[in-house]
Amino acid sequence: MPLSTVRYFLTLTFLFLLNSRIYAQGTPATLDEQNGFLGATFEREWNTFQHLTSLNCSPVEGADVSCYTGSIEGLTLGTTTLQTIQYTFYKNSLAAITVTLKGTKNIAAFCQSLQEVYGPGTHSAEAPTEVEWNGERVHMAYNLVQGETKYEPVLRLVVRSKAQMTRYQAAQLEARRATTQQSLD
């Protein structure tokens, strides 16, 4: 195994050990109380946000989904520096928030802040670099991946409204049924 790959996995191991040893004060119920992330509340209409810039969403997501990026200026959790923030709306109502950040120290500080606010999270059995928090109304998960350079990990955090995701999935299922019915007719 190349030395760069070994260093990358050692960095990820360090972050997970740090993540699992921090004393957590918060709980996933805090997610439900906030019903959002970084001051953005789920199911809030897109036109109530200021300074959003439109992004292209995946065409698979459908016409009722729109994506925007916002300014990360003033958005902090602990001492971390955010790279990007994306707001995903379903039928013009906030459904998900995706935050990206880079760097070992930055990610370690972010993970510590997440644990202090939301508790330790649960490590995924299927994806060893994923940690998730599962509230009644809100689901949050992050995944660590290799960045542009072999030595700089990237963390991608996704916070979702369960109600909005249920509505979206039901609409997707209905659309597939309608398409199947049309092809049978």
Side-chain angles (χ1 to χ4, degrees):
M1 185 179 304
L3 183 59
S4 61
T5 303
V6 171
R7 285 183 184 150
Y8 174 71
F9 284 111
L10 286 174
T11 300
L12 289 179
T13 302
F14 164 75
L15 290 171
F16 279 117
L17 288 175
L18 176 67
N19 189 23
S20 62
R21 291 186 180 171
I22 296 172
Y23 176 75
Q25 298 172 348
T27 68
T30 305
L31 280 172
D32 292 333
E33 291 168 16
Q34 293 175 343
N35 194 33
F37 192 70
L38 297 174
T41 305
F42 288 125
E43 301 191 36
R44 188 170 141 196
E45 295 294 315
W46 75 270
N47 58 2
T48 65
F49 286 80
Q50 295 180 2
H51 310 293
L52 292 181
T53 304
S54 182
L55 293 173
N56 289 330
C57 291
S58 166
V60 175
E61 293 174 337
D64 289 333
V65 176
S66 55
C67 299
Y68 297 87
T69 187
S71 171
I72 58 171
E73 194 172 307
L75 292 177
T76 60
L77 187 62
T79 60
T80 58
T81 304
L82 305 178
Q83 292 297 125
T84 62
I85 186 162
Q86 176 181 315
Y87 301 95
T88 303
F89 295 83
Y90 174 64
K91 293 190 175 183
N92 295 323
S93 183
L94 184 60
I97 302 165
T98 305
V99 176
T100 305
L101 55 142
K102 297 179 182 180
T104 304
K105 289 180 183 179
N106 199 36
I107 290 171
F110 189 71
C111 290
Q112 181 176 355
S113 295
L114 287 175
Q115 285 194 358
E116 288 170 359
V117 176
Y118 305 109
T122 305
H123 290 272
S124 170
E126 295 84 34
T129 60
E130 184 173 293
V131 175
E132 65 181 356
W133 292 260
N134 202 17
E136 294 293 319
R137 297 173 13 177
V138 179
H139 178 265
M140 178 171 74
Y142 74 69
N143 199 357
L144 286 168
V145 296
Q146 185 172 334
E148 294 172 8
T149 68
K150 295 177 183 176
Y151 307 107
E152 183 175 53
V154 173
L155 181 139
R156 182 171 178 259
L157 176 81
V158 179
V159 187
R160 292 185 173 103
S161 162
K162 287 185 172 184
Q164 283 290 77
M165 294 312 298
T166 299
R167 288 182 200 110
Y168 171 75
Q169 291 167 344
Q172 293 293 86
L173 180 61
E174 186 59 36
R176 282 193 296 274
R177 285 181 184 155
T179 302
T180 302
Q181 186 61 39
Q182 286 175 354
S183 65
L184 294 175
D185 290 342

